[in-house]
Amino acid sequence: MSDQSQTTGTIAPKAASRPGASGAAGRSRGTLGLAGKDFRLLLLVVALTMLAPFILNPFPQTSGLAQFNAGYPDLMQRFVIYGIFAIGFNILFGLTGYLSFGHAAFLGVGSYAAVWMFKLVGMNVLPAILLSVLCAGLFALLIGYITLRRSGIYFSILTLAFAQMCFALAYSVLTPLTGGETGLQLALDDPRILGTSQTASGNIPVPSLFGLEMRESVDLFVGGWAFTFNAGYYFCAIVLLLSFYTAIRIFRSPFGMMLRAIKSNQQRMRYTGLNPKPYALAAFVISGMYAGLAGGLMASMDPLAGAERMFWTASGEVVLMTILGGAGTLIGPVLGAGLIKYMENILSKINSDILHGWFAFMPDGLEDFVITVIYPFIGKGWHLTLGLMFMAVVIFLPGGLVEAGQRISRAVRGKKGHDTTDSKSEHAE
Amino acid sequence: MGILEVKDVGKRFGGLQALSDVNLSVRENTCHAIIGPNGAGKSTLLNCLVGKLIPDTGSVMFDGQSVLGRSPHEINQMGISRVFQTPEIFGDLSVMENILISLFAKRDGAFRMHAFESVADERGLQEEAERMLDEVNMLDKRQMHAASLSRGDKRRLEMAMCLVQKPKLLLLDEPTAGMARADTNNTIELLKEIKEKRNITIAIIEHDMHVVFSLADRITVLAQGTPLVEDVPQKIKGHPKVKEAYLGEAA
Ligand SMILES: Nc1ncnc2c1ncn2[C@@H]1O[C@H](COP(=O)(O)OP(=O)(O)OP(=O)(O)O)[C@@H](O)[C@H]1O
Ligand SMILES: [Mg+2]
């Protein structure tokens, strides 16, 4: 942080000679209402999401490294859905500094709402998702109104308590509404007033977007590679892009600036004539709606919802994602979500047989030793790796993956000759 | 009738009577200085004016309305801005953003949901903020993180944040403490100009007598929570009670 401000200080006089021509506040609007830099970031995310089936499948199916491929629909969907969850969480935590430990409750509410929509109305995902967002938003309004009376650790504890309460309710008391332990599932005798209860072949219909089934996929085989293009994934990806775009606009808006002011100094805010409470509540509701959206998408990809989606570990996960990627940055939460979901699904699948395969070239004693050392960090032990990574990030890279990227690019640029224009404060990247 | 009327205000902290029987009237477009030794209750008095503290007794009227029971942001919206004894600024934000927040608060009120507009599009406010920064000689620092400013600059920034709101009453709690001599003189010039040209009433707490006598139209001396004397500066200078208050029993 401090070295950034140093650089800023040294270039400032130059900028001042042409007032209004540059700088965070002086940037003018470009395409889609975004400044050039933000628009390039959006384009990057467009490219990453649209080309994900290629990017995530770099290894031919037959190669030994194919197990590191992540380009299958199920996992790609999870990448973007959790990305949306984290983008929304970051609007609350990254901007206002209010650390909620209960956001999974909104995710769960969104999922239940969507499944009910599939049961009662029809299998179109659009109305289902709209209801998810609405329900989660209303629910967040209620919970936010109560929990935001406190700040700091008390706020975190209150949100945690609320979410656990919701989990307990969903798990037992509200069974007629939530399906309890088994979860809420579709059945053949659901009314689906705007659709059909069952298909001609007697099956439960699947979620679709005006007839386009979410599970539909097209495979492309090129040489040894297989790429899968899944309708559900692309639907989620487009929702992610809209979410990301909305987040950029919020970050650059006066509202977003007020949210950062909350984090910085609420006292100053009050004596400047601003009421921090409704701003914080608005941020809470918006992030709750993002969580509901993610929950609705989850149900749209796989039409069932269970109470475990509200469990506190799920709330903790989105905190990890946001901090790991870079809280308060635009792209950080998306990267964090991707990294954690990748580790959860890929790292956890490596078992000792696979390790033996990799280290077979070593002499026996050494091989066993290396495997003994690595083994606790893979398979079921992936949480250990995650924990260590998280600690390393918090201690050495408080800005998360985004800060890592910035440091690398600064080092690279530094070698090419000193940079002149770009060194202004990059705190809201 | 002054723009600010403080009547019989008292405030107690546990066993300490921090303020008692404070009466103060600040006339419009004047500069009223409040001086007194450390711990006299000067800051406590300001806290009672801006809604940070609620006095136990008495009344505070601003512009014909009571401020008691209103929250700080409401009092600010009535037209009172305050500079604190230890600078209160948005440290994580840039200097420019600090000023812009003040301007948004002035224009849009205590809360407005403008989540899809862009700060960069507010050309009018941007220019106004730049003019303000120019006036306090900080235009070259507008992109710096406010937290990385020197103590004197933080004060000037906080003052600029208040001034840009064009308050009716500006409350300053030791605005030049920690400033270099040259900056102090600049601040005096700035405040003089404000008083003369902009219809802003100023109430200032200050230990630096050079500042006090350069600016004040009237001075109240506060000691142990009660006003000792109130008069024009010339009369305060040699006043025996004032000497006593400052020098203690030794006098
Ligand atoms: N919130 C509080 N709780 C308890 N005591 C307080 C509180 N605020 C101030 N005091 C006490 O009230 C007395 C007056 O304090 P105040 O800050 O108003 O003095 P001051 O005149 O501003 O002094 P200085 O010149 O040092 O700023 C002091 O003894 C202080 O310790
Ligand atoms: Mg004081």
Side-chain angles (χ1 to χ4, degrees):
Chain A
M1 267 290 141
S2 62
D3 62 337
Q4 263 183 20
S5 347
Q6 285 300 330
T7 9
T8 335
T10 52
I11 61 143
K14 201 166 149 200
S17 61
R18 42 192 179 100
S22 71
R27 262 178 307 202
S28 63
R29 219 167 143 138
T31 331
L32 290 173
L34 300 182
K37 210 168 149 198
D38 294 334
F39 186 65
R40 283 195 294 278
L41 195 63
L42 181 67
L43 284 185
L44 175 72
V45 178
V46 170
L48 285 178
T49 48
M50 290 299 126
L51 301 177
F54 297 109
I55 298 168
L56 295 172
N57 263 4
F59 308 111
Q61 270 176 308
T62 47
S63 86
L65 293 170
Q67 67 200 35
F68 289 110
N69 282 341
Y72 47 96
D74 188 40
L75 185 52
M76 288 196 298
Q77 287 165 5
R78 243 172 289 160
F79 283 149
V80 288
I81 290 172
Y82 278 93
I84 294 168
F85 190 17
I87 290 172
F89 184 78
N90 187 44
I91 290 176
L92 179 68
F93 174 56
L95 292 182
T96 71
Y98 277 94
L99 177 55
S100 162
F101 263 108
H103 258 51
F106 308 124
L107 189 87
V109 168
S111 285
Y112 285 126
V115 176
W116 273 112
M117 203 70 171
F118 294 140
K119 285 170 90 70
L120 299 178
V121 179
M123 297 307 291
N124 193 335
V125 292
L126 226 44
I129 287 168
L130 285 179
L131 187 73
S132 301
V133 174
L134 190 73
C135 288
L138 288 174
F139 197 54
L141 187 65
L142 175 74
I143 293 192
Y145 184 79
I146 299 166
T147 53
L148 284 168
R149 287 165 179 273
R150 291 281 168 272
S151 57
I153 187 79
Y154 299 101
F155 168 81
S156 302
I157 300 286
L158 277 177
T159 50
L160 176 64
F162 256 107
Q164 280 303 88
M165 234 161 68
C166 294
F167 166 76
L169 286 176
Y171 200 73
S172 56
V173 184
L174 295 178
T175 301
L177 208 59
T178 60
E181 281 178 51
T182 41
L184 192 62
Q185 290 170 359
L186 302 187
L188 283 169
D189 55 358
D190 289 330
R192 276 183 274 283
I193 47 175
L194 294 182
T196 48
S197 288
Q198 25 185 297
T199 57
S201 50
N203 291 320
I204 298 172
V206 295
S208 64
L209 179 71
F210 304 109
L212 173 68
E213 289 186 5
M214 290 293 108
R215 63 177 183 189
E216 241 163 67
S217 287
V218 178
D219 289 316
L220 172 71
F221 298 97
V222 184
W225 283 269
F227 305 109
T228 310
F229 305 90
N230 169 258
Y233 166 72
Y234 277 99
F235 177 69
C236 292
I238 287 165
V239 176
L240 173 106
L241 292 176
L242 292 174
S243 309
F244 188 67
Y245 173 72
T246 309
I248 301 181
R249 293 296 296 263
I250 289 176
F251 268 60
R252 302 300 181 226
S253 71
F255 173 71
M257 196 162 75
M258 296 306 173
L259 298 186
R260 286 191 287 134
I262 290 182
K263 183 176 181 176
S264 188
N265 190 340
Q266 290 204 34
Q267 158 124 320
R268 184 18 94 199
M269 232 183 141
R270 284 192 208 97
Y271 294 98
T272 303
L274 295 160
N275 189 357
K277 273 219 179 103
Y279 281 107
L281 184 58
F284 193 89
V285 171
I286 292 173
S287 72
M289 287 164 80
Y290 269 85
L293 177 63
L297 284 173
M298 261 180 214
S300 301
M301 297 305 110
D302 187 8
L304 49 86
E308 74 288 342
R309 252 171 223 180
M310 296 178 147
F311 200 58
W312 68 269
T313 50
S315 296
E317 197 177 50
V318 76
V319 178
L320 293 191
M321 287 171 177
T322 308
I323 293 176
L324 206 56
T329 65
L330 279 167
I331 192 142
V334 183
L335 299 179
L339 182 66
I340 290 188
K341 284 294 147 190
Y342 184 84
M343 284 171 62
E344 179 187 282
N345 288 280
I346 304 297
L347 213 55
S348 66
K349 286 211 194 91
I350 303 171
N351 54 31
S352 63
D353 287 348
I354 296 176
L355 283 186
H356 278 288
W358 289 351
F359 296 107
F361 65 91
M362 289 181 171
D364 267 355
L366 187 62
E367 180 187 334
D368 286 340
F369 175 73
V370 169
I371 290 172
T372 319
V373 171
I374 295 179
Y375 189 71
F377 297 94
I378 51 140
K380 288 208 178 73
W382 78 274
H383 280 115
L384 187 59
T385 316
L386 178 64
L388 287 173
M389 258 176 70
F390 186 71
M391 274 169 25
V393 163
V394 170
I395 295 168
F396 301 110
L397 276 178
L401 295 178
V402 169
E403 189 183 333
Q406 280 171 356
R407 282 198 195 170
I408 292 168
S409 81
R410 219 174 300 154
V412 171
R413 260 186 292 163
K415 267 181 208 151
K416 281 186 190 162
H418 207 67
D419 55 331
T420 45
T421 49
D422 261 6
S423 47
K424 52 151 257 326
S425 63
E426 289 173 336
H427 56 92
E429 196 71 16
Chain B
M1 197 51 186
I3 189 168
L4 179 72
E5 291 285 339
V6 178
K7 285 235 156 58
D8 303 324
V9 161
K11 180 74 196 175
R12 201 176 177 84
F13 295 119
L16 177 82
Q17 189 72 38
L19 293 176
S20 52
D21 301 324
V22 179
N23 286 285
L24 186 74
S25 173
V26 180
R27 249 164 281 152
E28 206 164 348
N29 298 336
T30 60
C31 177
H32 197 122
I34 299 165
I35 61 172
N38 290 115
K42 305 180 298 292
S43 300
T44 305
L45 178 59
L46 284 206
N47 288 343
C48 290
L49 305 184
V50 296
K52 191 171 186 191
L53 289 175
I54 300 175
D56 306 327
T57 59
S59 68
V60 180
M61 301 289 284
F62 172 70
D63 219 6
Q65 286 177 294
S66 173
V67 305
L68 299 187
R70 290 181 200 254
S71 43
H73 67 265
E74 289 169 334
I75 294 172
N76 172 281
Q77 295 285 353
M78 287 168 77
I80 302 182
S81 288
R82 173 177 181 182
V83 174
F84 285 81
Q85 190 166 354
T86 40
E88 293 281 355
I89 51 173
F90 300 112
D92 303 331
L93 275 61
S94 74
V95 168
M96 185 72 176
E97 285 172 324
N98 271 266
I99 305 281
L100 282 172
I101 287 178
S102 281
L103 285 170
F104 276 114
K106 174 81 179 171
R107 193 191 70 184
D108 298 338
F111 173 70
R112 205 186 117 201
M113 189 76 196
H114 27 33
F116 251 83
E117 292 140 46
S118 160
V119 175
D121 283 349
E122 301 281 357
R123 300 306 314 165
L125 294 191
Q126 303 262 354
E127 277 160 27
E128 210 176 328
E130 276 169 3
R131 272 200 303 278
M132 186 72 238
L133 285 175
D134 202 16
E135 255 179 288
V136 293
N137 294 323
M138 287 183 71
L139 194 55
D140 55 335
K141 296 178 176 129
R142 64 197 175 140
Q143 285 182 45
M144 283 176 76
H145 274 245
S148 62
L149 294 173
S150 70
R151 187 138 175 249
D153 277 346
K154 281 181 185 161
R155 273 182 193 293
R156 284 196 293 172
L157 173 60
E158 196 183 6
M159 197 138 53
M161 289 165 74
C162 290
L163 284 177
V164 83
Q165 293 194 312
K166 303 194 178 73
K168 289 184 208 154
L169 174 64
L170 177 64
L171 303 176
L172 302 163
D173 199 343
E174 303 189 23
T176 65
M179 269 191 198
R181 194 76 241 175
D183 286 338
T184 302
N185 288 333
N186 285 338
T187 306
I188 294 175
E189 290 313 310
L190 178 70
L191 290 173
K192 265 189 184 159
E193 195 205 291
I194 286 159
K195 198 177 74 172
E196 277 148 26
K197 296 197 187 136
R198 291 192 213 176
N199 302 330
I200 295 179
T201 312
I202 301 174
I204 182 172
I205 294 174
E206 188 55 75
H207 282 300
D208 185 337
M209 288 304 138
H210 173 57
V211 178
V212 172
F213 288 109
S214 309
L215 289 170
D217 299 304
R218 287 191 80 77
I219 299 176
T220 295
V221 183
L222 203 66
Q224 287 163 7
T226 351
L228 279 185
V229 270
E230 193 203 307
D231 218 325
V232 291
Q234 300 87 299
K235 295 243 176 100
I236 294 288
K237 258 182 192 162
H239 205 290
K241 274 191 174 177
V242 179
K243 282 189 180 160
E244 192 187 311
Y246 267 92
L247 302 174
E249 287 72 37

